[in-house]
Amino acid sequence: MARRKSKEKKIYVLDTNILLHEPFAFLNFQEHDVVIPMTVLEELDHIKDRNKDVSRDARVAIRALEDVLRDASPDQMLQGVAMPRQGEQKQGGHLFIVNDHHITDEIPGLPGGENDHLIINTALYLQREKSPTKVILVTKDINMRLKAKGAGLKLVEDYRTDQLIDDVRFLYKGYYKFPGDFWSQVGECRSENEGRETYHYVNRSVLPNAYINEYLIDEVEGFAGKVVAITDKEIRILDFGYERLMHRHAWGIHPKNIYQAMAMQALLDPQMDLVILTGPAGCGKTLIALAAALELVIEKGMYDKVIVTRNTPEIAESIGFLPGTEEEKMAPWLAAITDSLEVLHKTDEHPHASVNYIMEKANIQFKSVNFMRGRSIQNAIVILDECQNLSAAQLKTIITRCGEGTKLICSGNLSQIDSNYLTAVTSGLTYIVERFKNFEGSTTMNLNGVVRSRLASFAETNL
């Protein structure tokens, strides 16, 4: 039997946006070589001094490159500097810095002065000089990928090392819906009561791909429960009761469908440190999150305050220096929260006064993502709205700010991404759904039952 051939070595040329998306990305190409054109270093240098969140990523990338190249001579940099091996990797690649300003234009039609074109030209040059070794340009800029292919570059890719799924249709939804009746498919089952709660133990083969805290429902609307423990042989299920779950309420709000009911149960559960709500516009993500937060802070006194934050349209950049407090500047971006507060109190005698009173009593604070880094938030509920526009690194920054006694609620709609460099599969929201789907302190719920007006429902599916 012939020996298996080792992986063919490749050369990856990185665009600037890759290092801004993940500063240590150049270390993630296993045994393959990585080329950083001089133009990329110049762009990082221009970005690092701006008063924006992305400047930090530029500085981290520059320091990471310097750590690898610190002791290298100019000749060694031209020949390639060995990169540190990752994990159990036996062979590491090499890092090259290429002075692309001295490379003759491979395609005369590409203007040499534009940075994107200089980087594409570097990849074309390497494709010719290093043949038959495969040269791959890696960029998150879709238009740049199209231009590179049009210029004759054979291999162009997006950066997918941090991509956990290939199709958002397969994203974990947080629940499993049994066809037909749940009990007819379970077979042998033993049950036990602990106080007011009933638990069922079913064979693992009933749901071989179960995750902890996964909700279970059936088509006949006869069963609703949640997976609370998993062993090699069986699954432990907490029985909520379908009708009982539908009668849960928070701050006067009752669920309009089973998905909202499951989300409300997770939001009101003090054992859940992270609740992730996904789904289309109008499914009630923000309204239910806010209602649950008010219930837990004011009625039950379990938390001290509610912190509401979201990325601004400029992807967590500066909120400006116009007069006004941080809350006043963030108010336009957090109108969804104030709209939800008005809905919760629209039947009051003086709705506007009620909203102001509740905001003060619940200590609701509007904060910018910019100022979350470095904080330690204690005994609070943090509502992170519109987080589909945040990268995995930005979400990690916020999650790691949550101290003892803090509950984080992340909500977002993966069909409404405004970022230039994120897609549904590379969004930070998708990333944390997949990363936390088997964490005992988190719950995910996809609210796929749109309950907004028939106009909004029609637009969501037909426009």
Side-chain angles (χ1 to χ4, degrees):
M1 184 170 159
R3 287 185 63 186
R4 196 174 181 180
K5 289 185 178 180
S6 60
K7 290 183 180 178
E8 180 185 1
K9 196 154 192 172
K10 303 171 186 175
I11 298 173
Y12 289 91
V13 180
L14 303 192
D15 188 15
T16 311
N17 52 51
I18 300 300
L19 296 176
L20 296 177
H21 175 74
E22 186 178 328
F24 295 95
F26 65 94
L27 297 172
N28 295 333
F29 289 87
Q30 300 177 348
E31 74 277 11
H32 305 294
D33 293 337
V34 175
V35 171
I36 307 291
M38 196 74 74
T39 298
V40 170
L41 295 180
E42 291 173 355
E43 288 194 320
L44 291 175
D45 190 52
H46 292 147
I47 293 170
K48 70 179 175 63
D49 293 325
R50 297 178 188 172
N51 188 26
K52 297 181 179 181
D53 193 64
V54 71
S55 302
R56 172 189 172 275
D57 295 320
R59 290 191 293 270
V60 172
I62 291 169
R63 284 193 289 267
L65 289 167
E66 202 268 340
D67 286 342
V68 175
L69 301 171
R70 180 186 290 118
D71 299 322
S73 66
D75 289 338
Q76 288 174 323
M77 290 179 69
L78 291 174
Q79 296 169 5
V81 178
M83 287 190 286
R85 298 172 191 170
Q86 301 292 307
E88 299 179 357
Q89 187 179 314
K90 295 181 180 179
Q91 183 181 4
H94 291 77
L95 177 65
F96 296 82
I97 303 296
V98 175
N99 188 351
D100 50 337
H101 295 283
H102 294 303
I103 296 175
T104 305
D105 285 351
E106 294 296 309
I107 304 293
L110 284 176
E114 204 170 310
N115 288 340
D116 282 1
H117 298 162
L118 289 171
I119 297 169
I120 292 172
N121 191 58
T122 302
L124 289 168
Y125 169 79
L126 292 172
Q127 180 177 263
R128 176 172 59 84
E129 293 295 317
K130 301 296 182 179
S131 180
T133 302
K134 292 180 179 178
V135 176
I136 304 164
L137 173 64
V138 186
T139 176
K140 300 198 74 65
D141 187 335
I142 297 173
N143 195 48
M144 186 173 178
R145 294 202 292 267
L146 294 174
K147 288 194 289 185
K149 288 181 180 179
L153 195 60
K154 297 176 182 177
L155 299 171
V156 185
E157 294 181 1
D158 189 4
Y159 179 70
R160 299 181 182 274
T161 301
D162 59 347
Q163 184 175 314
L164 300 180
I165 60 172
D166 294 322
D167 193 331
V168 74
R169 290 177 298 175
F170 303 119
L171 182 67
Y172 176 60
K173 292 181 172 60
Y175 67 88
Y176 179 80
K177 192 171 188 176
F178 284 91
D181 177 51
F182 169 77
W183 294 110
S184 64
Q185 300 179 47
V186 167
E188 185 179 350
C189 168
R190 64 185 177 89
S191 302
E192 65 180 28
N193 294 322
E194 293 184 9
R196 298 176 60 186
E197 306 294 353
T198 300
Y199 294 91
H200 307 296
Y201 294 83
V202 302
N203 193 288
R204 181 70 187 270
S205 61
V206 173
L207 197 64
N209 297 319
Y211 294 101
I212 199 75
N213 295 326
E214 183 174 14
Y215 287 82
L216 306 176
I217 55 176
D218 59 14
E219 284 185 336
V220 300
E221 300 182 358
F223 179 82
K226 183 173 76 169
V227 176
V228 294
I230 303 172
T231 66
D232 293 336
K233 296 181 179 180
E234 61 184 8
I235 300 172
R236 189 182 192 216
I237 300 170
L238 172 59
D239 190 340
F240 292 129
Y242 195 95
E243 290 300 323
R244 186 154 53 102
L245 192 61
M246 285 296 295
H247 281 86
R248 294 297 296 266
H249 61 87
W251 206 249
I253 293 295
H254 294 265
K256 291 189 175 182
N257 57 41
I258 189 61
Y259 308 104
Q260 287 189 355
M262 292 186 289
M264 190 171 288
Q265 195 282 328
L267 290 165
L268 295 174
D269 186 349
Q271 301 301 316
M272 294 298 104
D273 301 322
L274 171 65
V275 179
I276 305 169
L277 303 178
T278 64
C283 63
K285 300 184 297 293
T286 304
L287 184 66
I288 293 176
L290 186 58
L294 294 177
E295 183 79 15
L296 293 171
V297 173
I298 298 177
E299 288 296 321
K300 297 186 178 180
M302 297 176 63
Y303 301 90
D304 297 333
K305 59 188 174 183
V306 179
I307 296 176
V308 184
T309 184
R310 59 158 285 181
N311 68 308
T312 50
E314 294 82 10
I315 315 302
E317 295 180 0
S318 172
I319 59 173
F321 297 95
L322 293 174
T325 64
E326 182 183 356
E327 284 79 5
E328 290 170 340
K329 291 178 181 180
M330 288 300 297
W333 314 127
L334 293 167
I337 300 297
T338 52
D339 289 346
S340 296
L341 278 172
E342 290 171 2
V343 170
L344 293 172
H345 296 275
K346 66 181 179 180
T347 58
D348 292 1
E349 187 175 350
H350 301 288
H352 183 70
S354 295
V355 169
N356 292 335
Y357 172 75
I358 292 301
M359 286 187 66
E360 184 176 344
K361 189 169 184 180
N363 193 11
I364 299 177
Q365 303 174 12
F366 290 170
K367 298 296 180 183
S368 169
V369 170
N370 288 34
F371 307 130
M372 295 297 283
R373 181 175 283 116
R375 295 189 63 182
S376 181
I377 303 168
Q378 307 290 331
N379 204 41
I381 293 181
V382 179
I383 299 177
L384 177 57
D385 204 16
E386 300 289 330
C387 63
Q388 73 274 7
N389 288 315
L390 293 173
S391 68
Q394 288 171 319
L395 269 173
K396 180 181 178 181
T397 296
I398 297 169
I399 292 172
T400 54
R401 296 305 94 212
C402 295
E404 187 176 356
T406 291
K407 187 185 193 83
L408 176 63
I409 303 170
C410 295
S411 66
N413 179 3
L414 288 169
S415 65
Q416 294 183 347
I417 295 179
D418 303 316
S419 170
N420 294 329
Y421 302 124
L422 292 176
T423 63
V425 293
T426 60
S427 167
L429 178 60
T430 300
Y431 192 80
I432 63 168
V433 167
E434 289 296 307
R435 282 295 190 203
F436 283 92
K437 65 184 180 183
N438 216 16
F439 172 57
E440 62 182 10
S442 73
T443 303
T444 294
M445 183 51 56
N446 178 254
L447 303 173
N448 60 10
V450 176
V451 294
R452 196 178 276 183
S453 70
R454 60 180 182 176
L455 173 63
S457 300
F458 182 84
E460 185 74 25
T461 56
N462 293 279
L463 295 184

